[in-house]
Amino acid sequence: MKRLWPVSLALFALVVTGCDEGGGGEGSSASAPAISAPAIVDGGLRESQPEEADRKEVVTGYLEMDAGDPVATGRRVVTVVEEAGGRVDSLTEQPEASSVLTVRVPADRLDEVVDEIRTLGRVTSLSTTRDDVTMQYTDLEARVGALRASVDRLRALLESSVDVEALIAAETALAERQAELDSLEAQRRQLGDRIELSTLTVDITTDRLPSEQDSFWDGLVAGWNSLWAALGAAVVGIGAALPWVAFLFVCAGVLYLVIRLITRRGRSSGTTGTPDTERTDSDA
């Protein structure tokens, strides 16, 4: 028995050592998720960055500025926008008064275009608005994908079906789904265009007073132009009044004839009544 004690103690030590190693293995395996958790979190953060980059925004801006020659400045704005890859949707010019433009500029170059337009005059007002349409665009994408899959299934059903009633029902459903799909795709294209190209309204007015003239000749030209403008307005007014004058003249002539007829009838009736009266008096 005394000889068995050392053997037993050795076996017990081996068992305890094995348990410790097993416990250490479990501890290391259990600690692995704790170590990899930051990696998962970092991975999540890295996945959230593309989501931020994929945000869909509709940007609109309004810029008001003064310039010596609004028309010439507006045409320079057109050049700046076209060089940036944009386009002009509307342009309204009033010589020596104002120029109003509605332009579409690539969203990633809007700040660059605005900075360049600033150098063309004195900016008096600038405002921009950003509308997040990510959810709306994502919803349109999902609905378009679902409808496109439905349309494909209906077309496959039409090709394989032999039942007349099933064919008619499938054609009706296909027409409805196709119309809805076309409408959603048009909405998506329109929204995508608004996202890709920002809308900027540029209102340019003159910083010179109307009474300011550079020289005597400029004043003379301005007076001559105002005279011709007044004469032109007078001619237009006379032309507009002539039809009314003619109409009133005709009405007055008709009224005069009616009065003359009534007067003549009254006189003739009075003349015919006078001999009867004299004959009655003689008989008496």
Side-chain angles (χ1 to χ4, degrees):
M1 295 294 293
K2 291 181 179 180
R3 291 178 179 178
L4 292 174
W5 275 106
V7 176
S8 300
L9 289 174
L11 292 173
F12 180 75
L14 290 173
V15 171
V16 171
T17 304
C19 292
D20 291 339
E21 291 178 355
E26 292 177 359
S28 61
S29 63
S31 63
I35 295 174
S36 61
I40 295 173
V41 173
D42 292 341
L45 291 175
R46 284 194 295 268
E47 291 177 358
S48 65
Q49 290 176 358
E51 292 180 1
E52 291 294 330
D54 290 341
R55 286 184 60 186
K56 308 296 183 182
E57 292 182 336
V58 174
V59 183
T60 56
Y62 179 80
L63 189 149
E64 185 175 356
M65 61 187 301
D66 292 338
D69 190 347
V71 174
T73 304
R75 293 174 182 174
R76 293 174 64 186
V77 170
V78 172
T79 303
V80 171
V81 171
E82 291 178 348
E83 288 179 351
R87 68 173 188 263
V88 179
D89 281 356
S90 66
L91 172 62
T92 303
E93 294 180 348
Q94 294 182 358
E96 300 182 1
S98 66
S99 179
V100 181
L101 306 90
T102 301
V103 299
R104 306 292 304 280
V105 183
D108 56 348
R109 302 194 63 181
L110 178 61
D111 295 337
E112 175 186 347
V113 170
V114 170
D115 291 339
E116 192 167 354
I117 293 176
R118 282 174 176 270
T119 63
L120 303 179
R122 185 175 65 89
V123 176
T124 59
S125 177
L126 174 62
S127 62
T128 57
T129 304
R130 295 180 177 270
D131 295 329
D132 190 348
V133 295
T134 305
M135 294 299 296
Q136 182 180 354
Y137 189 84
T138 304
D139 179 65
L140 283 174
E141 285 280 351
R143 293 171 64 186
V144 166
L147 277 174
R148 186 176 288 116
S150 177
V151 168
D152 293 340
R153 287 194 299 269
L154 287 172
R155 287 176 177 172
L157 179 62
L158 283 174
E159 293 177 356
S160 60
S161 178
V162 294
D163 187 5
V164 177
E165 294 182 357
L167 285 173
I168 295 174
E171 288 178 354
T172 303
L174 178 60
E176 294 176 355
R177 298 292 175 85
Q178 186 65 49
E180 187 176 358
L181 176 61
D182 294 340
S183 176
L184 288 178
E185 287 181 340
Q187 294 179 28
R188 185 183 61 176
R189 286 193 300 270
Q190 182 181 10
L191 183 60
D193 181 72
R194 293 174 59 197
I195 293 170
E196 183 180 358
L197 296 176
S198 301
T199 302
L200 178 65
T201 301
V202 183
D203 189 353
I204 308 171
T205 56
T206 181
D207 54 359
R208 294 171 53 186
L209 297 176
S211 59
E212 292 181 354
Q213 305 296 339
D214 295 334
S215 62
F216 172 78
W217 177 255
D218 292 335
L220 182 62
V221 171
W224 181 259
N225 291 335
S226 63
L227 175 62
W228 274 108
L231 291 176
V235 170
V236 172
I238 293 172
L242 280 177
W244 289 97
V245 172
F247 175 74
L248 293 175
F249 182 77
V250 172
C251 291
V254 172
L255 182 61
Y256 176 75
L257 292 176
V258 171
I259 294 174
R260 288 290 303 272
L261 289 173
I262 294 174
T263 304
R264 287 181 179 180
R265 289 182 180 180
R267 290 177 179 177
S268 61
S269 61
T271 305
T272 54
T274 302
D276 293 337
T277 304
E278 292 176 355
R279 187 178 301 169
T280 303
D281 292 339
S282 62
D283 292 338

